[in-house]
Amino acid sequence: MIRSATLTLPPTIQSIADNSRLRLLSGNANVPLSEEIARYLGLDLGPMIRKRFADGEIYVQIQESIRGCDVYLIQPTCHPVNDNLMELFIMIDACRRASARQITAVLPYYGYARADRKTAGRESITAKLVANQITTAGADRVLAMDLHSAQIQGYFDIPLDHIYGSPVIIDYLLAKNLPDVVVVSPDVGGVARARAFAKKLNDAPLAIIDKRRQAHNVAEVMNVIGDVAGKTAILVDDMIDTGGTISEGAKILRQQGAREVYACAIHAVFSPPAIERLSSGVFEEVIVTNTLPIPKDQWFPQLKVLSVANLLGETIWRVHEENSVSSMFR
C-alpha cells in the first residue's frame, strides 16, 4: 500500500477547482500518480487520446480546448524511456499548437540525467540534450523532482523548479523512532544529499562509503568512513537502478557492525537484477516513492512505497499562484 505524504490541503487551494485556466494532463508513464495529484488539487485530468500507429509511432490529441490555459503535463521519463520521452515532446507540441498560454513539463523523474558531464572523450551529455529537446518542443517551464545532480538546472534556458521528495521519507523515518541513527552516503558524490538528509533527521551523524566504479552499473565497495558499529544505518541515494551500489554498501555496513540497515531513494528504477539484490535480506526496509510506477511483480516484503503526489500537487498550486516553492523545504 502506498502511503501518502502528510501535507494538508491549504484553504486557498479550493479556488483552483474553479480556476478555468488551470489544466492537468497526463502521459502514459505514471497515470496513478497523475490521478493522485489531480485529487489533491480538486481537479480532473484533461481528456486525451493517446495511441500508437501500427508501426509504433505515438499519436496524441487533447480532447478539450486549452486555449489561453496554464497546462501542466505530468510525465516521468521512465521505462520505456524513449517512448515516454517522445510522448512528452508530442504532448508539449500539441499544447503549443492548441494555443496554451503556458506549458509546464512536470517531471517526477528526469531520465538521461546520469550523463550530466563528460568523463571521457567522445561522450554525449544527454542531460543537456534532453533539456534542449524539452525547450525546443515548446515547454515554458519545468518542474522536476530530485535531479541526479543539481547542475542540470543550469542546462535549461527556461525556468525550472527543483523540488525534493526527501521530506516524505524523513517524516516516515521520524515516525518510526529508530535508535542510534547514522545516515550513510553510498558514494562520495552523494555526500551533500546525505548531509542535508541527516540534518533534517535530528542532526544524525554522517558516514560515507568509499566506492570505486569499474564500469556502468558495476560498483566495487572499498571501505566505510565513519562509525556505524551498533547503529541503525540509513543509506540515502536519489535512485536505485540495478541495486548494486546500495546492496554492496549494505553488506559492508553489516560487516562494520551496523545493527540495522535501511535503504532510502526517491526514484525506484529497479532494473534487473535489482529485486533479487534488494530482497536478499541485507535491508530491514527499502523505502522509495512513487515517482515511477512499480509493477506488482516487483514488490517484495521489505519494500515500502511512499506517495509524493501531495508534494507535487502543492508545488503545482504554488507555481500557478506565483507563490514561493523553496519555502516548502526550509
Side-chain angles (χ1 to χ4, degrees):
M1 182 176 180
I2 297 177
R3 181 179 183 270
S4 295
T6 56
L7 289 173
T8 55
L9 188 71
T12 51
I13 210 171
Q14 302 297 338
S15 63
I16 280 198
D18 302 322
N19 191 331
S20 60
R21 288 190 177 276
L22 178 62
R23 293 287 189 278
L24 293 181
L25 299 176
S26 174
N28 278 316
N30 195 348
V31 176
L33 174 61
S34 300
E35 290 173 342
E36 278 193 66
I37 294 170
R39 283 197 296 271
Y40 178 82
L41 291 169
L43 297 172
D44 295 321
L45 292 175
M48 293 176 61
I49 293 176
R50 300 180 300 259
K51 65 179 183 179
R52 291 178 180 272
F53 293 108
D55 63 353
E57 290 183 2
I58 297 169
Y59 173 83
V60 169
Q61 184 189 32
I62 300 162
Q63 293 288 286
E64 65 178 1
S65 174
I66 57 171
R67 184 179 298 274
C69 293
D70 295 335
V71 180
Y72 293 80
L73 301 173
I74 305 168
Q75 178 82 330
T77 54
C78 52
H79 178 78
V81 182
N82 298 332
D83 288 353
N84 288 327
L85 195 57
M86 193 66 201
E87 186 179 71
L88 174 65
F89 298 152
I90 294 171
M91 289 193 299
I92 292 172
D93 185 70
C95 290
R96 181 173 61 86
R97 296 178 186 279
S99 301
R101 188 179 75 91
Q102 180 170 270
I103 303 166
T104 301
V106 180
L107 307 176
Y109 172 71
Y110 185 83
Y112 281 108
R114 281 170 282 192
D116 56 7
R117 64 195 183 282
K118 287 188 70 172
T119 58
R122 299 170 296 282
E123 283 186 335
S124 171
I125 303 177
T126 54
K128 170 61 173 170
L129 175 63
V130 170
N132 289 344
Q133 291 173 323
I134 290 172
T135 304
T136 301
D140 296 296
R141 69 184 306 128
V142 170
L143 195 167
M145 174 169 279
D146 282 274
L147 295 168
H148 187 60
S149 61
Q151 70 195 44
I152 294 173
Q153 298 175 73
Y155 297 165
F156 286 89
D157 295 324
I158 56 177
L160 184 147
D161 292 295
H162 186 205
I163 64 171
Y164 303 93
S166 55
V168 175
I169 296 178
I170 289 168
D171 285 348
Y172 174 74
L173 290 172
L174 288 173
K176 292 177 74 70
N177 292 315
L178 298 172
D180 299 321
V181 168
V182 57
V183 174
V184 184
S185 173
D187 52 37
V188 175
V191 170
R193 180 186 302 109
R195 184 182 294 117
F197 195 96
K199 183 178 180 180
K200 293 187 176 180
L201 202 61
N202 294 329
D203 279 323
L206 185 67
I208 304 166
I209 295 176
D210 176 32
K211 178 189 69 176
R212 308 293 171 88
R213 187 181 292 279
Q214 297 178 330
H216 295 301
N217 297 124
V218 177
E220 180 183 353
V221 173
M222 304 300 289
N223 53 63
V224 177
I225 304 169
D227 180 22
V228 299
K231 297 186 177 182
T232 302
I234 300 177
L235 273 162
V236 177
D237 212 344
D238 64 319
M239 70 170 71
I240 299 176
D241 189 358
T242 62
T245 296
I246 208 159
S247 60
E248 289 301 314
K251 290 175 184 176
I252 196 171
L253 290 173
R254 295 279 190 184
Q255 292 170 12
Q256 295 291 322
R259 183 174 55 218
E260 293 183 331
V261 181
Y262 291 78
C264 297
I266 303 301
H267 308 301
V269 180
F270 287 178
S271 302
I275 304 306
E276 290 79 4
R277 288 169 170 170
L278 298 173
S279 61
S280 63
V282 294
F283 298 107
E284 268 64 39
E285 271 191 315
V286 177
I287 305 164
V288 298
T289 75
N290 62 341
T291 56
L292 305 181
I294 304 175
K296 290 299 180 184
D297 61 1
Q298 290 190 344
W299 288 58
F300 51 95
Q302 297 89 349
L303 181 65
K304 181 68 177 181
V305 182
L306 308 177
S307 178
V308 293
N310 290 3
L311 190 61
L312 285 165
E314 174 71 11
T315 306
I316 289 172
W317 171 75
R318 289 181 180 231
V319 170
H320 182 70
E321 294 293 311
E322 299 181 342
N323 293 332
S324 171
V325 172
S326 61
S327 62
M328 295 168 60
F329 304 98
R330 291 174 186 163

